[in-house]
Amino acid sequence: LNSEAELNKKTQHLQFVTTHDQLTRLPNKELFFDRLERATLKTLRSGRFTALLFIDLDRFKNVNDSLGHGIGDQLLQEVAKRLGATIRKTDTLARMGGDEFLIIIEEIKELSNIGIVAKNFIDSILPPFTIAGHELFITPSMGISIAPIDTEQPKELMAFAEIAMYQAKGLGGNKCQFYTAEMNSRAKTRIELEGYLRKAVSQNQFTLYYQPQFDLRSGELTGCEALLRWQHPVMGMISPNDFIPLAEETGVIIAIGEWVLETACLQNKKWQESGLPPIRIAVNISPRQFREPGFLEMVERVVKTTALEPEWLELEITESLLMEDIDSAINILRRLEAQGIHLAIDDFGTGYSSLSYLKRFPLSHLKIDRSFVRDLTADENDASI
């Protein structure tokens, strides 16, 4: 009798291990999908709605990278507890893997209830977590798909919720987005664009335009800014607004950024060698590039190989990037300044920096964000700024 009970216990344990995530003890992807299939079938019979919520934690990688995977794992366990305390017994919470969680909300009578439920889950994650003495703030991006409105197929329901989640991420995170057909078509375009983007550097599809900078008093040319353009052989000229965020997200910006810096420095050196008066060339540095290990070494290498004197190079960094991790940013900026490179804050006025922080940055220019000066001739407030 004892051996039979032990066998049952072992069988139950094995079943639990194969159907649950070991870290959070939540249902895993396989068990979740089985429950999703049942929920969508039930929806077709009952005439009520089933919502699928796809949650991804914003910038979770930063926790792992800066504090280690042990802290990251504890954070995932705590998030799982908070989400678990928020769901009803009839609903299902699962961990997809990584920092992704899925929730099935069943038997929904009114569509308007879904937004309220979703907000409750988001609100549960927002208060700070205290782990091993660290106070951690985390925000979620959430995508929602609804059966049978969006689809009756479980696999499509998951795909649509994930697409909506990426839409929320694209809006800056800490957002909730519902799936729409238009979003699906945009996601397909994005996948195509990503494929083209990865080939664009090796196939020399990028080009730089140089926007001149003048002294308004004297009319003298004082510098220029390198602007990246993508001329695709089939799609034509693609706007930076369409491809820069994608390049940033996928990491392709690292290769693109180095190419831009090298090309701009070489061009400036050529102008000087042709006998033109030397001017400073400004190059935008993306957030992903700035945070990349080896960024300083890359800049040093490019300046050395192109033989451009560092005083004729200016790097532009957005204000919001500098405010993310001030001490780390100051350290990088000071090392760049020590090389003789000039530094500028781009989009100034949008990143909420205070003057006390500003004076700590070794800057040569502040570039006021265009939203403040666009209506300079027609708006008294813009004019006074």
Side-chain angles (χ1 to χ4, degrees), residues 259-284:
W259 178 86
V260 169
L261 187 62
E262 188 172 351
T263 305
C265 288
L266 281 171
Q267 180 60 70
N268 204 9
K269 186 69 178 170
K270 280 179 189 172
W271 285 332
Q272 290 179 9
E273 287 172 347
S274 71
L276 292 169
I279 59 169
R280 193 166 292 124
I281 195 161
V283 176
N284 290 284

Short mmCIF file of all heavy atoms in Angstrom, two decimals, residues 259-284:
data_model
loop_
_atom_site.label_atom_id
_atom_site.label_comp_id
_atom_site.label_asym_id
_atom_site.label_seq_id
_atom_site.Cartn_x
_atom_site.Cartn_y
_atom_site.Cartn_z
N TRP A 259 29.29 52.51 -38.57
CA TRP A 259 29.45 52.92 -39.97
C TRP A 259 29.23 54.43 -40.12
O TRP A 259 29.98 55.11 -40.82
CB TRP A 259 28.44 52.16 -40.85
CG TRP A 259 28.49 52.56 -42.29
CD1 TRP A 259 29.32 52.04 -43.26
CD2 TRP A 259 27.73 53.60 -42.92
NE1 TRP A 259 29.11 52.70 -44.45
CE2 TRP A 259 28.15 53.66 -44.28
CE3 TRP A 259 26.76 54.49 -42.49
CZ2 TRP A 259 27.61 54.57 -45.19
CZ3 TRP A 259 26.21 55.39 -43.39
CH2 TRP A 259 26.63 55.42 -44.73
N VAL A 260 28.19 54.96 -39.45
CA VAL A 260 27.90 56.40 -39.52
C VAL A 260 29.07 57.21 -38.99
O VAL A 260 29.51 58.17 -39.63
CB VAL A 260 26.61 56.74 -38.72
CG1 VAL A 260 26.44 58.25 -38.58
CG2 VAL A 260 25.39 56.15 -39.40
N LEU A 261 29.58 56.82 -37.83
CA LEU A 261 30.69 57.56 -37.21
C LEU A 261 31.92 57.55 -38.11
O LEU A 261 32.54 58.60 -38.35
CB LEU A 261 31.01 56.95 -35.84
CG LEU A 261 32.03 57.71 -34.99
CD1 LEU A 261 31.54 59.10 -34.65
CD2 LEU A 261 32.35 56.93 -33.71
N GLU A 262 32.25 56.39 -38.63
CA GLU A 262 33.44 56.27 -39.48
C GLU A 262 33.27 57.06 -40.78
O GLU A 262 34.17 57.79 -41.20
CB GLU A 262 33.70 54.79 -39.79
CG GLU A 262 35.02 54.57 -40.50
CD GLU A 262 35.35 53.09 -40.64
OE1 GLU A 262 34.66 52.24 -40.05
OE2 GLU A 262 36.32 52.80 -41.37
N THR A 263 32.09 56.94 -41.41
CA THR A 263 31.84 57.64 -42.68
C THR A 263 31.89 59.15 -42.49
O THR A 263 32.46 59.88 -43.31
CB THR A 263 30.47 57.21 -43.25
OG1 THR A 263 30.43 55.78 -43.36
CG2 THR A 263 30.22 57.81 -44.62
N ALA A 264 31.28 59.64 -41.41
CA ALA A 264 31.26 61.08 -41.14
C ALA A 264 32.66 61.62 -40.86
O ALA A 264 33.04 62.69 -41.37
CB ALA A 264 30.34 61.37 -39.95
N CYS A 265 33.44 60.88 -40.09
CA CYS A 265 34.82 61.30 -39.78
C CYS A 265 35.69 61.32 -41.05
O CYS A 265 36.47 62.26 -41.26
CB CYS A 265 35.44 60.38 -38.73
SG CYS A 265 34.76 60.61 -37.08
N LEU A 266 35.54 60.29 -41.88
CA LEU A 266 36.30 60.24 -43.15
C LEU A 266 35.94 61.41 -44.05
O LEU A 266 36.81 62.03 -44.67
CB LEU A 266 36.02 58.92 -43.88
CG LEU A 266 36.76 57.68 -43.37
CD1 LEU A 266 36.22 56.43 -44.04
CD2 LEU A 266 38.27 57.81 -43.60
N GLN A 267 34.63 61.73 -44.13
CA GLN A 267 34.17 62.83 -44.97
C GLN A 267 34.75 64.15 -44.49
O GLN A 267 35.22 64.98 -45.28
CB GLN A 267 32.65 62.89 -44.97
CG GLN A 267 32.06 64.01 -45.82
CD GLN A 267 32.44 63.90 -47.29
OE1 GLN A 267 31.98 63.01 -47.99
NE2 GLN A 267 33.31 64.78 -47.77
N ASN A 268 34.74 64.36 -43.17
CA ASN A 268 35.27 65.61 -42.61
C ASN A 268 36.77 65.74 -42.89
O ASN A 268 37.27 66.81 -43.22
CB ASN A 268 35.00 65.67 -41.10
CG ASN A 268 34.99 67.10 -40.59
OD1 ASN A 268 35.01 68.06 -41.36
ND2 ASN A 268 34.95 67.25 -39.28
N LYS A 269 37.46 64.61 -42.77
CA LYS A 269 38.91 64.60 -43.06
C LYS A 269 39.16 64.94 -44.53
O LYS A 269 40.09 65.71 -44.86
CB LYS A 269 39.48 63.22 -42.71
CG LYS A 269 41.00 63.12 -42.82
CD LYS A 269 41.69 63.92 -41.74
CE LYS A 269 43.20 63.77 -41.83
NZ LYS A 269 43.89 64.72 -40.93
N LYS A 270 38.32 64.42 -45.43
CA LYS A 270 38.47 64.71 -46.87
C LYS A 270 38.25 66.19 -47.15
O LYS A 270 38.98 66.79 -47.95
CB LYS A 270 37.45 63.88 -47.68
CG LYS A 270 37.88 62.44 -47.91
CD LYS A 270 36.81 61.69 -48.70
CE LYS A 270 37.10 60.21 -48.75
NZ LYS A 270 35.99 59.46 -49.36
N TRP A 271 37.24 66.78 -46.50
CA TRP A 271 37.00 68.22 -46.69
C TRP A 271 38.22 69.04 -46.26
O TRP A 271 38.64 69.96 -46.94
CB TRP A 271 35.78 68.66 -45.87
CG TRP A 271 34.46 68.24 -46.45
CD1 TRP A 271 34.16 68.01 -47.76
CD2 TRP A 271 33.25 67.99 -45.72
NE1 TRP A 271 32.85 67.63 -47.91
CE2 TRP A 271 32.25 67.62 -46.67
CE3 TRP A 271 32.90 68.05 -44.37
CZ2 TRP A 271 30.95 67.31 -46.30
CZ3 TRP A 271 31.59 67.74 -44.01
CH2 TRP A 271 30.63 67.37 -44.95
N GLN A 272 38.79 68.65 -45.13
CA GLN A 272 39.98 69.37 -44.64
C GLN A 272 41.16 69.22 -45.60
O GLN A 272 41.87 70.18 -45.90
CB GLN A 272 40.36 68.85 -43.25
CG GLN A 272 39.36 69.23 -42.16
CD GLN A 272 39.75 68.68 -40.79
OE1 GLN A 272 40.84 68.16 -40.62
NE2 GLN A 272 38.85 68.80 -39.82
N GLU A 273 41.35 67.99 -46.11
CA GLU A 273 42.48 67.73 -47.02
C GLU A 273 42.31 68.42 -48.37
O GLU A 273 43.28 68.66 -49.07
CB GLU A 273 42.64 66.21 -47.21
CG GLU A 273 43.23 65.52 -45.98
CD GLU A 273 43.21 64.01 -46.09
OE1 GLU A 273 42.54 63.48 -47.00
OE2 GLU A 273 43.86 63.34 -45.25
N SER A 274 41.05 68.75 -48.72
CA SER A 274 40.81 69.45 -49.99
C SER A 274 41.05 70.97 -49.85
O SER A 274 40.89 71.72 -50.81
CB SER A 274 39.38 69.19 -50.49
OG SER A 274 38.45 69.87 -49.66
N GLY A 275 41.38 71.40 -48.62
CA GLY A 275 41.71 72.82 -48.41
C GLY A 275 40.60 73.65 -47.82
O GLY A 275 40.77 74.86 -47.62
N LEU A 276 39.45 73.04 -47.50
CA LEU A 276 38.35 73.79 -46.89
C LEU A 276 38.67 74.09 -45.42
O LEU A 276 39.36 73.30 -44.76
CB LEU A 276 37.04 72.98 -46.96
CG LEU A 276 36.46 72.78 -48.36
CD1 LEU A 276 35.34 71.74 -48.32
CD2 LEU A 276 35.92 74.09 -48.91
N PRO A 277 38.17 75.23 -44.91
CA PRO A 277 38.40 75.54 -43.49
C PRO A 277 37.78 74.43 -42.63
O PRO A 277 36.69 73.96 -42.92
CB PRO A 277 37.65 76.86 -43.27
CG PRO A 277 37.40 77.41 -44.62
CD PRO A 277 37.36 76.26 -45.57
N PRO A 278 38.48 74.00 -41.57
CA PRO A 278 37.94 72.89 -40.76
C PRO A 278 36.66 73.29 -40.02
O PRO A 278 36.53 74.41 -39.54
CB PRO A 278 39.07 72.60 -39.76
CG PRO A 278 39.93 73.82 -39.75
CD PRO A 278 39.79 74.46 -41.09
N ILE A 279 35.71 72.37 -40.00
CA ILE A 279 34.47 72.57 -39.25
C ILE A 279 34.22 71.33 -38.40
O ILE A 279 34.76 70.26 -38.68
CB ILE A 279 33.24 72.82 -40.16
CG1 ILE A 279 33.04 71.62 -41.12
CG2 ILE A 279 33.34 74.13 -40.89
CD1 ILE A 279 31.71 71.65 -41.87
N ARG A 280 33.40 71.49 -37.39
CA ARG A 280 33.07 70.36 -36.52
C ARG A 280 31.89 69.60 -37.10
O ARG A 280 30.92 70.20 -37.55
CB ARG A 280 32.74 70.87 -35.12
CG ARG A 280 32.69 69.76 -34.05
CD ARG A 280 32.71 70.34 -32.65
NE ARG A 280 34.01 70.96 -32.40
CZ ARG A 280 34.17 72.22 -32.04
NH1 ARG A 280 33.13 73.01 -31.90
NH2 ARG A 280 35.37 72.71 -31.82
N ILE A 281 32.00 68.26 -37.06
CA ILE A 281 30.90 67.42 -37.57
C ILE A 281 30.21 66.73 -36.40
O ILE A 281 30.87 66.17 -35.53
CB ILE A 281 31.41 66.41 -38.62
CG1 ILE A 281 30.24 65.82 -39.41
CG2 ILE A 281 32.24 65.29 -38.02
CD1 ILE A 281 30.65 65.18 -40.72
N ALA A 282 28.89 66.82 -36.35
CA ALA A 282 28.11 66.23 -35.25
C ALA A 282 27.50 64.91 -35.69
O ALA A 282 26.94 64.80 -36.78
CB ALA A 282 27.01 67.19 -34.81
N VAL A 283 27.62 63.89 -34.82
CA VAL A 283 27.08 62.56 -35.10
C VAL A 283 26.19 62.15 -33.94
O VAL A 283 26.58 62.25 -32.78
CB VAL A 283 28.22 61.53 -35.28
CG1 VAL A 283 27.65 60.13 -35.47
CG2 VAL A 283 29.10 61.91 -36.47
N ASN A 284 24.98 61.70 -34.26
CA ASN A 284 24.05 61.24 -33.22
C ASN A 284 24.45 59.86 -32.71
O ASN A 284 24.75 58.97 -33.51
CB ASN A 284 22.62 61.16 -33.78
CG ASN A 284 22.04 62.53 -34.05
OD1 ASN A 284 21.64 63.23 -33.13
ND2 ASN A 284 22.02 62.94 -35.31
#
